[in-house]
Amino acid sequence: MTMLLVRRTAVSAVRFNSCRSFSTSRSHRTDRKGLVLGVFEKEGEEGGFHLSEAATGFDHTVSGKLSELLKISGPTLKKGKSRVFYGIHEDFPCVAVVGLDKTNAGVCGAENWDSSKENIRQAVSVGCRLLQDLEVNHVEVDGCSDAQAAAEGAILGLFQYDQLKSKKKTKVTTQLYGSANRSSWEKGVLYAEGQNLARLLMEAPANHITPTTFANTIEEKLAQHADRVTIQRRSQAWIEEQQMGAFLSVSKGSEEPPVFLELHYNGSPDRTQAPLLLVGKGITFDSGGISLKPSASMDAMRADMGGAATVCGSIVTAAALKLPVNIIGLAPLCENMPSGKATKPGDVVTAKNGKTIQVDNTDAEGRLILADALCYSHTFNPRAIVNVATLTGAMDVALGSAATGVFTNSDWLWEQLHKASVVTGDRVWRMPLFQHYTRQVADSQLADLNNIGKYSRSGGACTAAAFLREFVTSPHWAHLDIAGVMSNKDEVPYLSKGMSGRPTRTLVEFAAGMAHHG
């Protein structure tokens, strides 16, 4: 799998938000260029606006026509709103102007993000989509004072999973308008492409992304970074040798063989530097096993490998950025299926560290494969361990799609993750890891632990995290439950409807922070 002229008229025309979408099959035009420019609301002046630096320069080249059209075409553009002008510049038949809100927006303590960056991502994505709907196939983008955020908005906003459709949206290439901040733009492109890789893997149907094809895809993406990345693709025989009984108890119900994918990115000049360890849950399809899920929305469980997708996507991005840090990524990959060989409710299995687990619900399988992966991760003496998983529906109930839930035994690690999320706008929120929850998973009739909490659904995200902690000895460990942010309807404006690939950019920013932290 691979990732993804209007004739000039005498009078300039204006187009508002509602734009008609044309199919590429009807288009006979092959070279259509567009431009996205930003405009700010003027502070303390009703109806006032001022153009971004790039938009001001463009306005001068068209003798003030852009400013004039903005004044006569309607009210001042509010945040995330847009307007398209035609025929005002020979090189750009379509110019989309987008609202960036006020210039004094910055880090917002209440929202836990940088509002300026988020406004840019949202606005640029709106402008790019408008031009895409007009079948513009090359768009130049105003850096809007933050070229990285602008690039992220453009690349994330234009992503569309239509590989399996005969009728596809116009493919759009983008570049920075002007020459300033080109390195920031390229950085933003790589951040967004990493998230789009995760979206691609999560959105693809489960018969296209099996454990084997998932591993193939990541190997292909990392091939160009072979000087810095080594890949170990572990087979079922190796998994058995490692005595990963919890992992094998999940995979045994499926005809698809499990794969334990191990990625080593050696970016630090100091090859002896302790690595950052990322672990991603890789259930490529989750039926629930014998504890079968309801059929409604079961198709979404093709994305239950979102943890593995975001971890692998972030390592691909780290390699492309050449981050000076060592990272190891682990992805236990398998399906959770019912069959005559599948684990049954009440079965007892033994994890890599020797602890026995009573499996009372085979649909609580993610914690089982992570348990063995977490045990194995300690063999590398990591600086910190971060596991990522679409683990519990309870996390979605608790936080919805606003933020990833973080359970951690380390205040330092929490601070690093939180700081990264403020920059990316893909937020995290700290959740409790009390002994109160540990007691609920340690109360098992037949084994050391139970894979579900004593009180069933109560505090389900917290009891799942407490279960994972039983397989961790590292003083710096964090569990990221991404079940609530797995998909997007319209909550994040610059992401289309579908699987979100969150929080890939936050993981990349976190790793970049670790590189500079030393």
Side-chain angles (χ1 to χ4, degrees):
M1 294 181 69
T2 59
M3 280 269 317
L4 2 108
L5 277 157
V6 173
R7 200 179 72 177
R8 297 188 65 189
T9 57
V11 180
S12 297
V14 178
R15 186 179 183 89
F16 290 88
N17 288 24
S18 56
C19 66
R20 181 180 168 199
S21 176
F22 301 92
S23 72
T24 54
S25 60
R26 286 199 300 239
S27 175
H28 62 274
R29 305 177 183 97
T30 58
D31 185 22
R32 290 172 55 77
K33 290 178 65 177
L35 177 64
V36 176
L37 296 171
V39 60
F40 295 95
E41 291 181 59
K42 187 168 286 187
E43 193 73 34
E45 184 178 326
E46 187 66 29
F49 68 88
H50 70 89
L51 302 173
S52 69
E53 183 179 346
T56 299
F58 177 84
D59 194 37
H60 288 157
T61 68
V62 295
S63 305
K65 188 179 289 186
L66 180 64
S67 296
E68 181 183 349
L69 286 170
L70 280 170
K71 289 173 183 175
I72 66 175
S73 62
T76 300
L77 286 172
K78 299 295 183 182
K79 179 178 72 173
K81 300 300 180 182
S82 58
R83 207 165 288 158
V84 179
F85 301 106
Y86 299 96
I88 64 173
H89 193 284
E90 185 177 17
D91 294 336
F92 302 103
C94 306
V95 178
V97 182
V98 294
L100 298 169
D101 203 12
K102 298 177 176 61
T103 54
N104 62 353
V107 174
C108 176
E111 289 295 330
N112 278 263
W113 64 24
D114 188 317
S115 296
S116 177
K117 292 178 183 291
E118 280 295 286
N119 292 345
I120 292 168
R121 293 182 187 110
Q122 179 179 347
V124 168
S125 71
V126 168
C128 288
R129 286 170 178 163
L130 275 173
L131 296 179
Q132 182 182 43
D133 285 345
L134 294 171
E135 296 187 345
V136 172
N137 52 30
H138 181 74
V139 176
E140 296 195 21
V141 179
D142 179 356
C144 301
S145 75
D146 191 327
Q148 180 178 345
E152 290 172 5
I155 304 301
L156 292 171
L158 288 167
F159 175 86
Q160 188 78 24
Y161 184 80
D162 56 8
Q163 277 82 338
L164 305 178
K165 293 185 176 183
S166 55
K167 190 176 181 179
K168 304 178 188 296
K169 295 202 77 168
T170 301
K171 298 303 179 187
V172 181
T173 58
T174 60
Q175 73 178 70
L176 180 66
Y177 177 64
S179 58
N181 302 313
R182 194 165 299 280
S183 61
S184 293
W185 170 269
E186 292 301 331
K187 182 179 178 182
V189 168
L190 292 175
Y191 269 57
E193 286 180 344
Q195 183 167 346
N196 283 349
L197 171 58
R199 294 165 85 182
L200 186 76
L201 291 165
M202 294 170 71
E203 196 69 80
N207 63 327
H208 285 243
I209 297 294
T210 63
T212 299
T213 54
F214 183 106
N216 289 344
T217 302
I218 298 304
E219 284 185 339
E220 289 169 9
K221 293 293 181 182
L222 288 171
Q224 61 184 303
H225 306 296
D227 59 324
R228 291 169 177 259
V229 178
T230 57
I231 302 171
Q232 299 287 345
R233 186 171 170 157
R234 312 292 193 179
S235 67
Q236 179 162 334
W238 180 89
I239 298 167
E240 290 170 350
E241 288 173 7
Q242 292 293 312
Q243 298 183 311
M244 295 183 174
F247 180 18
L248 290 166
S249 75
V250 178
S251 68
K252 64 191 285 188
S254 174
E255 293 297 314
E256 291 288 343
V259 175
F260 193 96
L261 188 61
E262 185 176 321
L263 311 175
H264 291 248
Y265 168 65
N266 299 304
S268 174
D270 179 8
R271 294 304 175 99
T272 64
Q273 181 195 79
L276 169 63
L277 207 303
L278 303 179
V279 183
K281 171 188 169 185
I283 301 292
T284 59
F285 186 74
D286 183 16
S287 70
I290 298 297
S291 305
L292 196 66
K293 292 178 181 288
S295 59
S297 302
M298 194 195 287
D299 66 294
M301 289 298 95
R302 66 187 184 275
D304 206 27
M305 26 59 72
T310 56
V311 163
C312 292
S314 65
I315 292 176
V316 170
T317 306
L321 290 165
K322 295 181 170 58
L323 292 183
V325 62
N326 294 334
I327 308 173
I328 295 175
L330 305 177
L333 301 162
C334 70
E335 292 181 336
N336 183 27
M337 297 291 286
S339 74
K341 299 184 295 182
T343 295
K344 303 170 291 296
D347 284 0
V348 174
V349 301
T350 305
K352 180 175 171 58
N353 66 350
K355 289 189 178 182
T356 55
I357 306 164
Q358 182 174 336
V359 183
D360 276 353
N361 188 334
T362 65
D363 194 24
E365 85 299 330
R367 64 201 71 181
L368 297 176
I369 71 171
L370 287 174
D372 282 337
L374 285 169
C375 291
Y376 180 65
S377 69
H378 288 77
T379 63
F380 300 102
N381 298 313
R383 302 166 69 186
I385 301 172
V386 177
N387 71 258
V388 189
T390 50
L391 206 65
T392 65
M395 193 73 256
D396 185 24
V397 172
L399 295 181
S401 59
T404 292
V406 176
F407 301 81
T408 181
N409 61 0
S410 168
D411 292 341
W412 167 80
L413 187 53
W414 159 250
E415 289 167 5
Q416 304 309 310
L417 288 164
H418 179 256
K419 182 167 64 175
S421 76
V422 171
V423 174
T424 64
D426 198 348
R427 297 173 291 193
V428 296
W429 191 256
R430 192 169 188 178
M431 301 291 290
L433 197 60
F434 303 144
Q435 285 296 319
H436 172 89
Y437 302 113
T438 301
R439 287 191 291 270
Q440 293 180 39
V441 295
D443 188 354
S444 174
Q445 183 178 355
L446 303 175
D448 298 325
L449 299 167
N450 201 301
N451 79 323
I452 56 174
K454 180 179 180 180
Y455 304 116
S456 186
R457 295 177 62 85
S458 297
C462 302
T463 54
F467 177 90
L468 292 178
R469 185 166 63 172
E470 293 300 300
F471 303 90
V472 173
T473 59
S474 170
H476 301 297
W477 161 72
H479 157 54
L480 275 58
D481 193 333
I482 63 171
V485 303
M486 180 181 82
S487 63
N488 190 68
K489 293 181 281 293
D490 56 10
E491 306 95 322
V492 180
Y494 48 87
L495 300 180
S496 56
K497 182 179 180 181
M499 301 308 168
S500 70
R502 297 171 62 190
T504 304
R505 289 179 301 113
T506 294
L507 292 174
V508 175
E509 185 67 21
F510 163 66
M514 290 294 94
H516 300 308
H517 193 272

